[in-house]
């Protein structure tokens, strides 16, 4: 149960009113309120208190999940309430919501609310250097991903969590330390006072630079790796034109330029958020307005009239390029007291559009494991680690791979041929051949199983193409020999001349 140090004094001792610490009474009263707000029918068998550290997307959704199960939930966020803030600090890369995330939202009744505020993107729209545009569908007809606004989604989830009477949101609470032995946490409150709290389970959802994870790093047999990629990102805004979208809205627009790229996702206000991904050394070479315009004229000429020269110059130098980090670790739990989810456990680079979706699926998978093992945390936490670690490591690797695909492979005719071939084979053999992107984005196939199947499918298809090539060569050679034997007077030069003319047909 949630216990604060002052609570023992207040409940178990007779204290003179002149000696009572007002701040501690407030803290104790809040604790008791949190416990009393648990529905009476659940209180006898749902006495455990869950402390969710981090009020971002995954933390807010987790608060909904645990509150729905009847636990007493306290969410702690170091920032102020973003619903009240004039300026929302943090990342603003648009998010792509797909099947996994939607299923997780559906479980707490939030899917339709969020989907109604998203914009469907049915295909990639590739912008060539000469200005031509070529769509590459994401999947079958009717399959799409949704462009959603990060800040709005976070606000919706916080409001949904707050609607549960057994959930309380605490903003401006910075975690200073916590103990694996007791589950006690020390927070710095907005008024500068320190507050110590105990919970039955601590759920770390506090991002890639998690304060919860610092305690894990002090333990033996905890594996951890952190990788900064050599590329950074910078955001620009493409305004509406004549009150409407400046480009086709139902696409994820990509300008692939081999070693770097720019993408654009649509927003509800009819703007596009354009994100330039490029090596830091290339960002650092551009230091003047003339250089940035020369860069855009060379590599993204069709975007200049859409974004505007003034906006390009302003946005490019407004903030420096931001870094992107990939984090892997294992295990995700410590005893039966603490578990990590979302970026705290597996930060991924954004190139597969699965960071948020994987974090949301964490919540769903943990809930499924709780259902399976009757909420026994001593069994649930290690089982969650066993099930989830290989999947999150797999999507981290796929996200790295997809950056190469998006900035370079989409320019390749072989890549486009394979895309169409994979989709054709999937159409005629839907249960045998499933494109990797379809498995990752439009199903809940476990990430690591999708990767295994992808490798197997590639091997089968490549062998099939090789056999077709060998058969074609053998057949062509056989026909050429028969033709030569039936025309003994035909010279080699004449034969080659006839073969060469076939290219026109």
């Amino acid at each position: 149960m949630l216990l604060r140090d002052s609570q023992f004094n207040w409940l178990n001792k007779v204290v003179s009113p002149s000696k009572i610490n007002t701040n501690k009474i407030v803290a104790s009263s809040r604790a008791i309120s949190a416990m009393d707000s648990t529905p009476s029918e659940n209180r006898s068998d749902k006495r455990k208190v869950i402390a969710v550290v981090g009020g971002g997307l995954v933390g807010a959704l987790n608060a909904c999940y645990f509150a729905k199960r009847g636990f007493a939930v306290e969410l702690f966020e170091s920032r102020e309430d973003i619903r009240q803030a004039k300026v929302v600090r943090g990342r603003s890369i648009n998010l792509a919501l797909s099947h996994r995330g939607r299923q997780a939202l559906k479980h707490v009744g939030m899917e339709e609310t969020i989907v109604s505020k998203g914009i469907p993107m049915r295909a990639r729209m590739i912008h060539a250097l000469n200005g031509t545009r070529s769509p590459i569908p994401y999947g079958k007809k009717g399959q799409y991903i949704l462009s959603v606004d990060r800040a709005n989604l976070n606000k919706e989830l916080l409001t949904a969590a707050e609607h549960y009477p057994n959930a309380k949101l605490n903003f401006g609470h910075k975690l200073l330390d916590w103990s694996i032995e007791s589950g006690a946490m020390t927070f710095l409150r907005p008024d500068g006072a320190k507050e110590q709290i105990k919970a039955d389970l601590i759920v770390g959802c506090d991002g890639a630079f998690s304060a919860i994870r610092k305690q894990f790093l002090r333990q033996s047999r905890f594996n951890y790796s952190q990788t900064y990629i050599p590329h950074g990102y910078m955001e620009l805004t493409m305004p509406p034109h004549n009150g409407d979208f400046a480009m086709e809205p139902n696409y994820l627009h990509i300008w692939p330029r081999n070693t770097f790229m720019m993408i654009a996702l649509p927003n509800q206000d009819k703007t596009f958020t354009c994100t330039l991904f490029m090596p830091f050394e290339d960002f650092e070479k551009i230091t003047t307005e003339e250089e940035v315009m020369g860069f855009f004229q060379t590599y993204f000429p069709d975007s200049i009239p859409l974004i505007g020269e003034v906006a390009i110059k302003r946005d490019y130098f407004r903030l420096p390029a931001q870094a992107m980090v990939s984090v892997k670790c294992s295990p995700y739990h410590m005893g039966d007291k603490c578990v990590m989810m979302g970026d705290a456990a597996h930060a991924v680079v954004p190139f597969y559009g699965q960071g948020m979706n994987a974090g949301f699926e964490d919540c769903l998978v943990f809930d499924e494991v709780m259902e399976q093992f009757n909420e026994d945390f001593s069994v649930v936490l290690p089982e969650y680690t066993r099930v989830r670690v290989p999947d999150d490591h797999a999507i981290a690797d796929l996200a790295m791979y997809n950056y190469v695909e998006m900035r370079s492979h989409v320019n390749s005719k072989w890549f486009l041929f394979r895309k169409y071939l994979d989709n054709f084979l999937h159409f005629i053999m839907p249960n045998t051949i499933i494109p990797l992107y379809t498995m990752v984005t439009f199903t809940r196939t476990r990430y690591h199983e999708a990767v295994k199947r992808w490798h197997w499918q590639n091997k089968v298809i490549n062998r099939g193409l090789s056999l077709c090539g060998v058969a074609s060569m053998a057949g062509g050679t056989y026909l050429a020999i028969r033709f030569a034997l039936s025309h003994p007077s035909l010279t080699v030069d004449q034969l080659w001349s006839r073969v060469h003319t076939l290219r026109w047909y």
Side-chain angles (χ1 to χ4, degrees):
M1 294 182 65
L2 182 68
L3 299 174
R4 304 173 194 241
D5 291 345
S6 56
Q7 202 169 338
F8 295 108
N9 296 330
W10 193 31
L11 296 177
N12 299 329
K13 294 182 180 180
V14 178
V15 182
S16 167
S18 62
K19 296 182 181 179
I20 292 178
N21 184 314
T22 308
N23 287 338
K24 290 190 176 182
I25 289 181
V26 171
S28 302
S29 300
R30 283 176 45 212
I32 293 172
S33 297
M35 289 184 283
D36 287 345
S37 64
T38 306
S40 58
E41 65 270 19
N42 292 328
R43 195 178 305 150
S44 60
D45 60 342
K46 301 285 186 182
R47 291 191 295 267
K48 291 181 179 178
V49 174
I50 311 298
V52 178
V53 180
L57 299 175
V58 176
L61 182 60
N62 249 326
C64 295
Y65 268 81
F66 284 107
K68 183 182 178 184
R69 281 190 167 270
F71 293 107
V73 178
E74 290 227 10
L75 180 147
F76 298 93
E77 168 57 46
S78 61
R79 300 171 300 174
E80 62 180 317
D81 188 342
I82 63 171
R83 296 169 298 175
Q84 311 298 329
K86 294 181 180 178
V87 178
V88 179
R89 293 177 290 119
R91 296 173 298 170
S92 58
I93 290 180
N94 284 56
L95 300 169
L97 179 66
S98 56
H99 180 74
R100 296 171 195 270
R102 291 181 64 163
Q103 290 300 300
L105 291 169
K106 183 178 181 179
H107 191 76
V108 290
M110 289 294 293
E111 182 186 16
E112 290 307 315
T113 300
I114 303 305
V115 168
S116 66
K117 296 181 179 180
I119 299 176
M121 298 183 293
R122 305 182 188 281
R124 296 168 172 171
M125 181 65 81
I126 308 302
H127 292 245
L129 196 56
N130 63 8
T132 60
R133 302 179 184 183
S134 307
I136 303 178
Y138 280 124
K140 296 183 294 187
K141 186 177 181 180
Q143 290 182 325
Y144 59 87
I145 58 178
L146 280 162
S147 175
V148 295
D149 178 80
R150 177 190 295 272
N152 180 68
L153 176 56
N154 203 167
K155 292 174 184 178
E156 293 281 359
L157 291 174
L158 288 171
T159 299
E162 202 168 45
H163 282 163
Y164 289 92
N166 50 316
K168 182 169 182 59
L169 311 185
N170 305 281
F171 296 99
H173 280 62
K174 181 180 180 180
L175 180 66
L176 300 178
D177 199 9
W178 67 279
S179 167
I180 177 57
E181 289 79 15
S182 63
M185 297 170 287
T186 303
F187 288 94
L188 182 65
R189 298 191 332 194
D191 60 5
K194 291 183 180 179
E195 186 174 13
Q196 197 168 68
I197 296 165
K198 288 185 180 180
D200 296 287
L201 178 66
I202 302 169
V203 185
C205 305
D206 51 341
F209 305 101
S210 169
I212 289 290
R213 196 175 59 232
K214 290 179 181 178
Q215 188 68 267
F216 280 67
L217 290 168
R218 299 172 188 170
Q219 306 298 312
S220 63
R221 300 173 64 192
F222 177 69
N223 298 307
Y224 173 78
S225 68
Q226 172 181 293
T227 303
Y228 279 97
I229 65 173
H231 299 71
Y233 73 90
M234 179 178 291
E235 293 187 335
L236 305 94
T237 300
M238 184 181 293
H241 280 217
N242 300 319
D244 203 355
F245 287 102
M247 301 183 297
E248 303 91 330
N250 297 119
Y251 296 90
L252 191 157
H253 294 262
I254 306 176
W255 289 258
R257 299 298 182 259
N258 295 319
T259 59
F260 55 89
M261 70 173 180
M262 185 168 71
I263 66 172
L265 277 74
N267 301 308
Q268 286 283 353
D269 62 0
K270 300 190 184 304
T271 65
F272 279 89
T273 299
C274 304
T275 309
L276 175 61
F277 297 97
M278 191 163 65
F280 278 104
E281 60 184 26
D282 290 339
F283 276 116
E284 292 161 2
K285 290 176 183 176
I286 300 172
T287 58
T288 67
E289 292 183 352
E290 291 74 19
E291 288 174 342
V292 72
M293 290 312 304
F295 172 75
F296 269 79
Q297 286 163 1
T298 301
Y299 296 106
F300 312 115
D302 62 325
S303 74
I304 295 175
L306 301 177
I307 301 174
E309 287 193 27
V310 173
I312 291 173
K313 294 174 182 177
R314 180 194 66 229
D315 291 349
Y316 190 91
F317 295 105
R318 182 176 54 185
L319 290 172
Q322 303 296 300
M324 290 173 285
V325 66
S326 179
V327 170
K328 291 181 182 179
C329 66
S330 177
Y332 288 168
H333 74 286
M334 199 179 289
D336 61 353
K337 290 289 185 182
C338 183
V339 64
M340 296 186 296
M341 299 188 205
D343 284 356
H346 50 83
V348 301
V349 292
F351 305 116
Y352 222 114
Q354 286 294 304
M356 171 190 66
N357 292 288
F360 282 1
E361 192 177 44
D362 287 347
C363 305
L364 182 54
V365 170
F366 192 84
D367 189 77
E368 290 168 346
V369 176
M370 279 202 294
E371 185 68 25
Q372 182 181 355
F373 294 102
N374 198 30
E375 300 174 358
D376 180 355
F377 292 149
S378 65
V379 181
V380 169
L381 269 61
E383 176 65 10
Y384 173 75
T385 285
R386 185 191 70 80
V387 169
R388 200 62 182 155
V389 165
D391 291 330
D392 291 331
H393 287 189
I395 192 57
D397 293 337
L398 279 176
M400 289 287 198
Y401 161 80
N402 211 47
Y403 183 36
V404 180
E405 178 175 302
M406 291 176 72
R407 77 184 191 223
S408 177
H409 290 175
V410 291
N411 291 322
S412 162
K413 291 183 179 179
W414 171 253
F415 172 81
L416 296 176
F417 165 73
R418 277 302 309 270
K419 278 286 183 184
Y420 288 118
L421 177 61
D422 289 353
N423 288 333
F424 173 72
L425 294 175
H426 178 51
F427 176 76
I428 62 175
M429 298 182 289
N431 297 321
T432 304
I433 301 296
I434 307 174
L436 174 64
Y437 193 88
T438 297
M439 288 188 282
V440 170
T441 308
F442 300 119
T443 77
R444 279 197 63 204
T445 303
R446 293 183 61 184
Y447 288 124
H448 84 280
E449 292 176 356
V451 172
K452 286 182 181 178
R453 182 164 185 158
W454 173 50
H455 289 316
W456 174 81
Q457 289 177 172
N458 275 344
K459 188 181 295 185
V460 171
I461 293 171
N462 288 338
R463 284 181 179 177
L465 290 173
S466 298
L467 289 173
C468 288
V470 170
S472 297
M473 288 179 65
T477 303
Y478 171 74
L479 292 174
I481 292 172
R482 284 197 59 180
F483 184 80
L485 291 175
S486 63
H487 298 79
S489 61
L490 196 65
T491 66
V492 173
D493 288 339
Q494 290 172 324
L495 179 62
W496 174 251
S497 178
R498 293 191 180 190
V499 171
H500 192 60
T501 60
L502 292 175
R503 70 189 180 92
W504 299 108
Y505 300 96

PDB file of all heavy atoms in Angstrom, residues 17 62 89 98 127 157 235 237 243-244 309 319 348 355 379 401 459 474 497 502:
ATOM      1  N   PRO A  17      -0.966  19.808  18.218  1.00  0.00           N
ATOM      2  CA  PRO A  17      -1.242  20.566  17.002  1.00  0.00           C
ATOM      3  C   PRO A  17      -0.125  21.530  16.639  1.00  0.00           C
ATOM      4  O   PRO A  17       0.130  21.783  15.481  1.00  0.00           O
ATOM      5  CB  PRO A  17      -2.539  21.324  17.328  1.00  0.00           C
ATOM      6  CG  PRO A  17      -3.196  20.493  18.380  1.00  0.00           C
ATOM      7  CD  PRO A  17      -2.090  19.891  19.181  1.00  0.00           C
ATOM      8  N   ASN A  62      -0.562   3.554 -19.211  1.00  0.00           N
ATOM      9  CA  ASN A  62      -0.419   2.565 -18.143  1.00  0.00           C
ATOM     10  C   ASN A  62      -1.303   2.902 -16.949  1.00  0.00           C
ATOM     11  O   ASN A  62      -1.872   2.014 -16.312  1.00  0.00           O
ATOM     12  CB  ASN A  62       1.043   2.479 -17.698  1.00  0.00           C
ATOM     13  CG  ASN A  62       1.687   1.167 -18.080  1.00  0.00           C
ATOM     14  OD1 ASN A  62       1.030   0.126 -18.097  1.00  0.00           O
ATOM     15  ND2 ASN A  62       2.963   1.194 -18.408  1.00  0.00           N
ATOM     16  N   ARG A  89       7.197  21.515 -23.557  1.00  0.00           N
ATOM     17  CA  ARG A  89       8.578  21.164 -23.839  1.00  0.00           C
ATOM     18  C   ARG A  89       8.684  19.701 -24.242  1.00  0.00           C
ATOM     19  O   ARG A  89       7.854  18.879 -23.880  1.00  0.00           O
ATOM     20  CB  ARG A  89       9.459  21.407 -22.603  1.00  0.00           C
ATOM     21  CG  ARG A  89       9.585  22.868 -22.229  1.00  0.00           C
ATOM     22  CD  ARG A  89      10.408  23.043 -20.967  1.00  0.00           C
ATOM     23  NE  ARG A  89       9.705  22.550 -19.782  1.00  0.00           N
ATOM     24  CZ  ARG A  89      10.147  21.582 -19.008  1.00  0.00           C
ATOM     25  NH1 ARG A  89      11.269  20.962 -19.287  1.00  0.00           N
ATOM     26  NH2 ARG A  89       9.450  21.204 -17.954  1.00  0.00           N
ATOM     27  N   SER A  98      -0.325   2.881 -35.563  1.00  0.00           N
ATOM     28  CA  SER A  98      -0.698   1.721 -36.372  1.00  0.00           C
ATOM     29  C   SER A  98      -1.398   0.674 -35.496  1.00  0.00           C
ATOM     30  O   SER A  98      -1.803   0.960 -34.368  1.00  0.00           O
ATOM     31  CB  SER A  98       0.526   1.138 -37.085  1.00  0.00           C
ATOM     32  OG  SER A  98       1.553   0.810 -36.169  1.00  0.00           O
ATOM     33  N   HIS A 127       9.434  11.680 -53.413  1.00  0.00           N
ATOM     34  CA  HIS A 127       9.740  12.879 -54.192  1.00  0.00           C
ATOM     35  C   HIS A 127      11.131  12.725 -54.790  1.00  0.00           C
ATOM     36  O   HIS A 127      12.135  12.758 -54.075  1.00  0.00           O
ATOM     37  CB  HIS A 127       9.699  14.127 -53.301  1.00  0.00           C
ATOM     38  CG  HIS A 127       8.339  14.475 -52.793  1.00  0.00           C
ATOM     39  ND1 HIS A 127       7.677  15.622 -53.150  1.00  0.00           N
ATOM     40  CD2 HIS A 127       7.511  13.805 -51.939  1.00  0.00           C
ATOM     41  CE1 HIS A 127       6.494  15.654 -52.540  1.00  0.00           C
ATOM     42  NE2 HIS A 127       6.374  14.562 -51.793  1.00  0.00           N
ATOM     43  N   LEU A 157      -4.786  11.150 -23.118  1.00  0.00           N
ATOM     44  CA  LEU A 157      -4.536  10.011 -22.240  1.00  0.00           C
ATOM     45  C   LEU A 157      -4.484  10.438 -20.775  1.00  0.00           C
ATOM     46  O   LEU A 157      -4.967   9.716 -19.893  1.00  0.00           O
ATOM     47  CB  LEU A 157      -3.221   9.328 -22.632  1.00  0.00           C
ATOM     48  CG  LEU A 157      -3.234   8.588 -23.979  1.00  0.00           C
ATOM     49  CD1 LEU A 157      -1.843   8.075 -24.334  1.00  0.00           C
ATOM     50  CD2 LEU A 157      -4.220   7.425 -23.948  1.00  0.00           C
ATOM     51  N   GLU A 235      13.235  20.059 -37.443  1.00  0.00           N
ATOM     52  CA  GLU A 235      11.859  20.174 -37.921  1.00  0.00           C
ATOM     53  C   GLU A 235      11.568  21.536 -38.545  1.00  0.00           C
ATOM     54  O   GLU A 235      12.045  22.572 -38.074  1.00  0.00           O
ATOM     55  CB  GLU A 235      10.877  19.907 -36.773  1.00  0.00           C
ATOM     56  CG  GLU A 235      10.924  18.471 -36.298  1.00  0.00           C
ATOM     57  CD  GLU A 235       9.861  18.132 -35.284  1.00  0.00           C
ATOM     58  OE1 GLU A 235       9.384  19.038 -34.582  1.00  0.00           O
ATOM     59  OE2 GLU A 235       9.508  16.948 -35.195  1.00  0.00           O
ATOM     60  N   THR A 237       8.150  23.648 -40.727  1.00  0.00           N
ATOM     61  CA  THR A 237       6.699  23.601 -40.908  1.00  0.00           C
ATOM     62  C   THR A 237       6.316  24.069 -42.308  1.00  0.00           C
ATOM     63  O   THR A 237       6.774  25.112 -42.768  1.00  0.00           O
ATOM     64  CB  THR A 237       5.991  24.487 -39.868  1.00  0.00           C
ATOM     65  OG1 THR A 237       6.312  24.006 -38.558  1.00  0.00           O
ATOM     66  CG2 THR A 237       4.481  24.447 -40.068  1.00  0.00           C
ATOM     67  N   GLY A 243      -5.693  27.960 -47.711  1.00  0.00           N
ATOM     68  CA  GLY A 243      -6.584  27.330 -46.740  1.00  0.00           C
ATOM     69  C   GLY A 243      -6.652  25.822 -46.793  1.00  0.00           C
ATOM     70  O   GLY A 243      -7.474  25.210 -46.106  1.00  0.00           O
ATOM     71  N   ASP A 244      -5.789  25.186 -47.600  1.00  0.00           N
ATOM     72  CA  ASP A 244      -5.811  23.730 -47.706  1.00  0.00           C
ATOM     73  C   ASP A 244      -4.374  23.199 -47.631  1.00  0.00           C
ATOM     74  O   ASP A 244      -3.410  23.959 -47.629  1.00  0.00           O
ATOM     75  CB  ASP A 244      -6.461  23.305 -49.013  1.00  0.00           C
ATOM     76  CG  ASP A 244      -7.020  21.879 -48.956  1.00  0.00           C
ATOM     77  OD1 ASP A 244      -6.814  21.205 -47.923  1.00  0.00           O
ATOM     78  OD2 ASP A 244      -7.642  21.454 -49.945  1.00  0.00           O
ATOM     79  N   GLU A 309      10.800  30.424 -48.469  1.00  0.00           N
ATOM     80  CA  GLU A 309      12.193  30.754 -48.154  1.00  0.00           C
ATOM     81  C   GLU A 309      12.342  31.336 -46.756  1.00  0.00           C
ATOM     82  O   GLU A 309      13.271  30.991 -46.028  1.00  0.00           O
ATOM     83  CB  GLU A 309      12.748  31.736 -49.197  1.00  0.00           C
ATOM     84  CG  GLU A 309      13.019  31.120 -50.551  1.00  0.00           C
ATOM     85  CD  GLU A 309      13.843  32.027 -51.445  1.00  0.00           C
ATOM     86  OE1 GLU A 309      14.609  32.853 -50.894  1.00  0.00           O
ATOM     87  OE2 GLU A 309      13.731  31.917 -52.677  1.00  0.00           O
ATOM     88  N   LEU A 319      16.651  26.135 -33.879  1.00  0.00           N
ATOM     89  CA  LEU A 319      17.182  25.184 -32.906  1.00  0.00           C
ATOM     90  C   LEU A 319      18.249  24.335 -33.580  1.00  0.00           C
ATOM     91  O   LEU A 319      18.167  24.065 -34.774  1.00  0.00           O
ATOM     92  CB  LEU A 319      16.072  24.264 -32.376  1.00  0.00           C
ATOM     93  CG  LEU A 319      15.006  24.879 -31.470  1.00  0.00           C
ATOM     94  CD1 LEU A 319      13.900  23.865 -31.223  1.00  0.00           C
ATOM     95  CD2 LEU A 319      15.603  25.332 -30.145  1.00  0.00           C
ATOM     96  N   VAL A 348      13.878   3.615 -29.265  1.00  0.00           N
ATOM     97  CA  VAL A 348      14.228   3.247 -30.643  1.00  0.00           C
ATOM     98  C   VAL A 348      14.246   4.505 -31.502  1.00  0.00           C
ATOM     99  O   VAL A 348      13.557   5.485 -31.204  1.00  0.00           O
ATOM    100  CB  VAL A 348      13.241   2.216 -31.237  1.00  0.00           C
ATOM    101  CG1 VAL A 348      13.209   0.960 -30.393  1.00  0.00           C
ATOM    102  CG2 VAL A 348      11.840   2.798 -31.388  1.00  0.00           C
ATOM    103  N   GLY A 355       7.984   3.348 -32.318  1.00  0.00           N
ATOM    104  CA  GLY A 355       8.357   3.676 -30.940  1.00  0.00           C
ATOM    105  C   GLY A 355       7.167   3.756 -30.018  1.00  0.00           C
ATOM    106  O   GLY A 355       7.102   3.081 -28.987  1.00  0.00           O
ATOM    107  N   VAL A 379       5.406 -13.503 -10.342  1.00  0.00           N
ATOM    108  CA  VAL A 379       5.430 -14.318 -11.558  1.00  0.00           C
ATOM    109  C   VAL A 379       5.285 -13.438 -12.796  1.00  0.00           C
ATOM    110  O   VAL A 379       5.929 -13.669 -13.821  1.00  0.00           O
ATOM    111  CB  VAL A 379       4.296 -15.366 -11.536  1.00  0.00           C
ATOM    112  CG1 VAL A 379       4.329 -16.226 -12.795  1.00  0.00           C
ATOM    113  CG2 VAL A 379       4.384 -16.229 -10.290  1.00  0.00           C
ATOM    114  N   TYR A 401      17.482  -0.388 -39.496  1.00  0.00           N
ATOM    115  CA  TYR A 401      17.483  -0.849 -40.890  1.00  0.00           C
ATOM    116  C   TYR A 401      16.587   0.028 -41.756  1.00  0.00           C
ATOM    117  O   TYR A 401      16.935   0.367 -42.895  1.00  0.00           O
ATOM    118  CB  TYR A 401      17.018  -2.303 -40.963  1.00  0.00           C
ATOM    119  CG  TYR A 401      16.544  -2.708 -42.346  1.00  0.00           C
ATOM    120  CD1 TYR A 401      17.452  -3.038 -43.350  1.00  0.00           C
ATOM    121  CD2 TYR A 401      15.186  -2.724 -42.653  1.00  0.00           C
ATOM    122  CE1 TYR A 401      17.017  -3.373 -44.623  1.00  0.00           C
ATOM    123  CE2 TYR A 401      14.743  -3.060 -43.917  1.00  0.00           C
ATOM    124  CZ  TYR A 401      15.661  -3.386 -44.901  1.00  0.00           C
ATOM    125  OH  TYR A 401      15.233  -3.701 -46.160  1.00  0.00           O
ATOM    126  N   LYS A 459      14.729 -15.726 -48.301  1.00  0.00           N
ATOM    127  CA  LYS A 459      15.519 -16.861 -48.797  1.00  0.00           C
ATOM    128  C   LYS A 459      14.726 -17.638 -49.850  1.00  0.00           C
ATOM    129  O   LYS A 459      15.257 -17.986 -50.921  1.00  0.00           O
ATOM    130  CB  LYS A 459      15.899 -17.774 -47.627  1.00  0.00           C
ATOM    131  CG  LYS A 459      16.871 -18.883 -47.998  1.00  0.00           C
ATOM    132  CD  LYS A 459      17.178 -19.763 -46.782  1.00  0.00           C
ATOM    133  CE  LYS A 459      17.910 -18.990 -45.712  1.00  0.00           C
ATOM    134  NZ  LYS A 459      18.313 -19.876 -44.590  1.00  0.00           N
ATOM    135  N   ALA A 474      18.718 -21.179 -69.533  1.00  0.00           N
ATOM    136  CA  ALA A 474      18.804 -22.496 -70.166  1.00  0.00           C
ATOM    137  C   ALA A 474      17.844 -22.584 -71.351  1.00  0.00           C
ATOM    138  O   ALA A 474      18.199 -23.086 -72.427  1.00  0.00           O
ATOM    139  CB  ALA A 474      18.497 -23.587 -69.141  1.00  0.00           C
ATOM    140  N   SER A 497      22.617  -9.833 -84.372  1.00  0.00           N
ATOM    141  CA  SER A 497      21.852  -8.686 -84.845  1.00  0.00           C
ATOM    142  C   SER A 497      20.364  -8.921 -84.674  1.00  0.00           C
ATOM    143  O   SER A 497      19.611  -8.026 -84.271  1.00  0.00           O
ATOM    144  CB  SER A 497      22.184  -8.421 -86.317  1.00  0.00           C
ATOM    145  OG  SER A 497      21.411  -7.343 -86.813  1.00  0.00           O
ATOM    146  N   LEU A 502      15.377  -7.609 -80.783  1.00  0.00           N
ATOM    147  CA  LEU A 502      14.262  -8.007 -79.923  1.00  0.00           C
ATOM    148  C   LEU A 502      14.030  -7.005 -78.776  1.00  0.00           C
ATOM    149  O   LEU A 502      12.958  -6.949 -78.190  1.00  0.00           O
ATOM    150  CB  LEU A 502      14.503  -9.398 -79.320  1.00  0.00           C
ATOM    151  CG  LEU A 502      14.468 -10.567 -80.306  1.00  0.00           C
ATOM    152  CD1 LEU A 502      14.832 -11.849 -79.579  1.00  0.00           C
ATOM    153  CD2 LEU A 502      13.089 -10.683 -80.955  1.00  0.00           C
TER     154      LEU A 502
END
